[in-house]
Amino acid sequence: VHGLVRSAQPCARGRHGEGGAGIAGAGRLLPVQVLASNRLTYETVAQRLIVTVVPAPGGEPQYQGEFLVGNRNVEELLPAAARELFGQAVAGIWEQDDVSIINITSALDRGGRVPLPIEGHKEGVYVKVGSHAAFSPCLAAAASAQSRFRCRLGQQPLASCYDTFAPHFAIHWCNLTLLQVLPGPTASGPVWGPGVLEEGSDFQPPTTSPAGDLLPGFLLTLLVPLAVAALLCLLLGHLMCCRREGV
């Protein structure tokens, strides 16, 4: 596989209804533009997709972990077979069956260096997974403060699950991140101010405006600079004509 997905950005709102609320009960429609390039020919192609965003049935997983896979490129983990294989490996060390993949990001988007064009050199992929169950003792030990200290010394962290992903995935355990997402308060709807038009109404601009007296402002703007200029001229003339000393 020589392709590389460069970016995926939300598109601007197009035809009426796109990017809106979507179909009731089915999710929200999100137009996305995917930009990909060929590693060998440097050809670039863009494709516009309409993605239906459906909330997870059980909500966002409370426990989330992010792994850095060092021996894969991002396009190698996008196929369903590769994601399923990675999910099974994570479920084995998490000791849970409800582990799901949340996000897959190239290490190049996190400041990683472009790998050399040598066989076996990969860019690396960050894979975020989540579960509603707590972390296993192995994961907790790998992300503990003592393990972080060993990583700063150039040693492997304290964990007994290094070989769970082998030989398919090479995990950089010092880059393991564990996060517990606490449920936040439900966001209330927007509060409209007094200047918002009612639904179905049109804006009616004012046709007439009350006449104002602009003469005082005009005279003030014109006469004050003229008076200052006249005083300066008189002062300069007095200094040049009346204050000169003869030879």
Side-chain angles (χ1 to χ4, degrees), residues 101-126:
I101 296 179
I102 301 176
N103 186 28
I104 298 177
T105 305
S106 172
L108 301 181
D109 297 334
R110 301 287 186 87
R113 301 182 61 181
V114 178
L116 297 175
I118 303 176
E119 185 68 24
H121 284 64
K122 304 291 184 177
E123 64 188 32
V125 183
Y126 284 93

Side-chain angles (χ1 to χ4, degrees), residues 103-204:
N103 186 28
I104 298 177
T105 305
S106 172
L108 301 181
D109 297 334
R110 301 287 186 87
R113 301 182 61 181
V114 178
L116 297 175
I118 303 176
E119 185 68 24
H121 284 64
K122 304 291 184 177
E123 64 188 32
V125 183
Y126 284 93
V127 183
K128 179 182 288 188
V129 298
S131 174
H132 294 282
F135 303 113
S136 64
C138 178
L139 290 176
S144 62
Q146 187 176 2
S147 295
R148 299 300 184 191
F149 177 74
R150 291 174 60 91
C151 287
R152 288 193 294 267
L153 297 179
Q155 303 175 6
Q156 286 287 349
L158 297 175
S160 58
C161 47
Y162 295 145
D163 298 333
T164 308
F165 291 89
H168 304 287
F169 307 102
I171 303 298
H172 294 185
W173 289 100
C174 288
N175 295 88
L176 174 65
T177 302
L178 300 181
L179 177 65
Q180 183 176 359
V181 180
L182 299 178
T186 304
S188 58
V191 179
W192 304 111
V196 179
L197 295 176
E198 297 181 0
E199 185 177 359
S201 61
D202 297 330
F203 175 68
Q204 300 294 338

Side-chain angles (χ1 to χ4, degrees), residues 53-143:
V53 181
V54 180
E60 185 179 9
Q62 183 178 359
Y63 298 91
Q64 300 179 7
E66 189 174 57
F67 299 83
L68 175 57
V69 185
N71 63 334
R72 293 295 180 99
N73 293 328
V74 63
E75 66 271 13
E76 297 175 352
L77 273 176
L78 291 179
R83 288 186 283 112
E84 182 179 0
L85 183 62
F86 187 85
Q88 293 175 357
V90 176
I93 65 170
W94 205 305
E95 301 176 359
Q96 297 294 332
D97 296 332
D98 64 337
V99 178
S100 60
I101 296 179
I102 301 176
N103 186 28
I104 298 177
T105 305
S106 172
L108 301 181
D109 297 334
R110 301 287 186 87
R113 301 182 61 181
V114 178
L116 297 175
I118 303 176
E119 185 68 24
H121 284 64
K122 304 291 184 177
E123 64 188 32
V125 183
Y126 284 93
V127 183
K128 179 182 288 188
V129 298
S131 174
H132 294 282
F135 303 113
S136 64
C138 178
L139 290 176

